[in-house]
């Protein structure tokens, strides 16, 4: 059974690493509606993911006669709520929530809905799809369960079916808990693998708490730890000083895999073969184009496309595409999605 499961995981990992060269999203839909005003309310424009999606939307909208404005929530829930209220006051045709938890602002979103303002989210709820209760026409995101599963499967493949893992997550975010549980479940399906511990370490506490947290975990499990799985690259950023101590003492260090983000620092580590084996980035620019397409469907009183981009993993095998001469730093599938959307909008 173990050999079969490892082979199954190996094939899934191979597919995730390969380039998605064929567009698997929508090829039909309504022509573009003209002259729409959109406001992108960002959780924090300093966040690379949010910024990337906004950049993708700007690029998409440059091809049509819509108007896009940004309001920054500066990483604070209070400021984000105020930003949504400010956006509503401008009476736009639509509001995009970039990385803002819709559940935390459900009351103000009811005002938008009552005024006929279309609301679309990026990472606004845990899963892709619409949410009528929150007034979301569509939430755009890569399937977090697929992201978590593929990260854990790489640990299984890399360990030849004998992974012993630590998992790091943030208990303050439901999506983080979902991903951590999915990683743990995937590891447990491997007969000779083991989840040593799921550690709940809030993102805003990583810098100060990771050194002592990892020291305690190392004392407890030591060289039994083959892999560290984390919900994003930040955990790996802050575990490195501890791992560097292990290297200096010529002590075994675990392989590190991130189920999310795809930061420039992560790509450099993967490329250098130091402290990180893989990360699972999202196609941020594509998401910006998809949001634009979903908005157009809403303006045409049509249902959302329901598209969710396939999961993609960056490893030493393909990281050069992201860290070459130009250091683009953003995973951007070469599957022709821009042309595909333009053909829908401008047949």
């Amino acid at each position: 059974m173990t050999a079969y499961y490892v082979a199954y995981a190996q094939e899934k990992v191979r597919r995730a690493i390969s380039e998605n060269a064929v567009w698997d999203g929508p090829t039909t839909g309504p022509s573009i509606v003209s002259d729409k005003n959109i406001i992108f309310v960002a959780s924090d424009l300093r966040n690379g993911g949010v910024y990337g999606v906004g950049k993708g939307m700007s690029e998409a909208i440059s091809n049509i006669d819509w108007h896009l404005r940004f309001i920054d929530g500066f990483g604070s829930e209070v400021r984000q709520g105020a930003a949504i209220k400010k956006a509503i006051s401008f009476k736009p045709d639509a509001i995009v929530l970039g990385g803002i938890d819709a559940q935390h602002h459900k009351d103000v979103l009811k005002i938008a809905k009552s005024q006929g303002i279309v609301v679309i989210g990026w990472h606004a709820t845990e899963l892709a799809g619409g949410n009528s209760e929150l007034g979301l026409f569509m939430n755009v995101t890569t399937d977090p369960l697929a992201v978590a599963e593929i990260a854990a499967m790489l640990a299984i493949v890399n360990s030849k079916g004998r992974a012993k893992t630590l998992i790091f997550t943030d208990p303050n975010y439901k999506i983080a808990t979902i991903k951590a549980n999915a990683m743990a479940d995937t590891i447990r399906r491997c007969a000779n693998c083991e989840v040593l511990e799921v550690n709940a370490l809030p993102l805003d506490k990583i810098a100060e708490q990771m050194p002592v947290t990892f020291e305690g975990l190392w004392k407890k499990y030591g060289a039994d730890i083959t892999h560290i799985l984390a919900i994003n690259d930040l955990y790996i950023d802050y575990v490195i000083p501890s791992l560097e101590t292990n290297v200096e003492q010529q002590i075994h260090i675990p392989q590190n895999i991130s189920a999310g983000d795809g930061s420039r620092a992560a790509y450099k580590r993967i490329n250098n073969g130091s402290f990180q084996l893989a990360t699972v980035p999202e196609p941020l620019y594509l998401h910006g184009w998809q949001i634009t397409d979903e908005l157009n469907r809403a303006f045409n009183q049509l249902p959302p496309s329901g598209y969710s981009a396939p999961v993609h993993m960056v490893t030493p095998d393909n990281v050069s595409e992201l860290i070459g001469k130009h250091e683009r730093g953003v995973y951007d599938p070469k599957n022709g999605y821009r042309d595909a959307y333009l053909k829908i909008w401008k047949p």
Side-chain angles (χ1 to χ4, degrees):
M1 181 64 183
T2 298
Y4 171 80
Y5 190 63
V6 172
Y8 168 72
Q10 194 165 24
E11 177 58 19
K12 293 267 284 191
V13 167
R14 185 194 67 76
R15 290 181 185 175
I17 293 172
S18 64
E19 176 65 46
N20 299 312
V22 178
W23 173 238
D24 63 342
T27 55
T28 60
S31 298
I32 205 73
V33 176
S34 64
D35 197 25
K36 293 294 181 180
N37 290 298
I38 318 297
I39 297 180
F40 187 104
V41 182
S43 59
D44 191 333
L45 282 172
R46 294 168 297 183
N47 178 290
V50 175
Y51 178 82
V53 173
K55 186 173 179 180
M57 274 199 75
S58 295
E59 181 185 87
I61 286 175
S62 71
N63 292 275
I64 54 182
D65 65 345
W66 292 6
H67 311 282
L68 180 62
R69 175 175 182 162
F70 289 86
I71 301 178
D72 198 345
F74 296 104
S76 156
E77 187 175 320
V78 172
R79 289 179 176 178
Q80 290 163 9
I84 298 170
K85 289 178 183 176
K86 184 177 181 180
I88 292 171
S89 73
F90 287 118
K91 301 189 183 302
D93 296 293
I95 291 172
V96 177
L97 302 179
I100 292 176
D101 190 328
Q103 185 67 41
H104 293 173
H105 303 282
K106 58 184 179 182
D107 291 336
V108 71
L109 290 177
K110 287 178 182 177
I111 299 172
K113 185 176 182 179
S114 70
Q115 295 186 14
I117 299 171
V118 177
V119 180
I120 282 186
W122 180 79
H123 286 211
T125 60
E126 294 83 25
L127 303 173
N131 189 315
S132 57
E133 183 183 339
L134 293 173
L136 279 183
F137 177 75
M138 177 73 179
N139 180 56
V140 174
T141 180
T142 302
D143 182 356
L145 298 177
V147 169
E149 181 186 60
I150 203 65
M153 281 187 166
L154 179 61
I156 292 167
V157 171
N158 183 251
S159 67
K160 297 180 171 57
R162 297 186 177 277
K164 295 185 184 297
T165 64
L166 294 178
I167 297 174
F168 284 95
T169 188
D170 187 333
N172 296 321
Y173 292 92
K174 189 174 180 181
I175 183 64
T177 301
I178 288 172
K179 286 168 75 172
N181 289 341
M183 286 191 282
D185 290 343
T186 302
I187 294 294
R188 290 179 182 129
R189 287 199 295 271
C190 171
N192 294 323
C193 298
E194 184 181 352
V195 177
L196 297 173
E197 192 167 315
V198 178
N199 192 279
L201 179 57
L203 285 160
D204 60 356
K205 303 291 185 184
I206 295 177
E208 59 184 277
Q209 293 186 8
M210 179 57 90
V212 67
T213 298
F214 185 75
E215 183 182 352
L217 291 168
W218 187 261
K219 284 180 179 177
K220 187 174 182 180
Y221 300 110
D224 282 347
I225 307 167
T226 66
H227 291 77
I228 293 174
L229 298 172
I231 58 154
N232 67 26
D233 293 315
L234 279 173
Y235 290 91
I236 299 174
D237 289 345
Y238 287 102
V239 79
I240 285 175
S242 300
L243 297 180
E244 285 175 335
T245 300
N246 281 18
V247 170
E248 289 171 4
Q249 297 175 2
Q250 297 184 324
I251 298 172
H252 146 86
I253 66 167
Q255 295 278 16
N256 302 306
I257 301 169
S258 165
D261 278 5
S263 67
R264 286 177 181 266
Y267 296 146
K268 287 182 180 179
R269 288 193 291 265
I270 294 167
N271 189 56
N272 294 335
S274 58
F275 301 112
Q276 188 158 353
L277 180 62
T279 187
V280 187
E282 292 192 87
L284 302 175
Y285 300 159
L286 187 161
H287 281 173
W289 280 72
Q290 182 184 349
I291 289 168
T292 305
D293 182 67
E294 304 293 0
L295 286 171
N296 191 51
R297 291 170 192 270
F299 296 147
N300 280 278
Q301 285 76 54
L302 293 173
S305 72
Y307 177 63
S308 182
V311 67
H312 180 70
M313 176 175 279
V314 175
T315 70
D317 293 330
N318 60 1
V319 71
S320 61
E321 299 167 11
L322 290 151
I323 204 165
K325 294 179 181 178
H326 303 294
E327 290 197 6
R328 290 180 297 142
V330 174
Y331 164 55
D332 192 24
K334 301 181 183 72
N335 58 12
Y337 68 87
R338 293 175 174 87
D339 288 339
Y341 278 126
L342 288 174
K343 283 178 182 177
I344 294 173
W345 303 341
K346 299 179 177 182

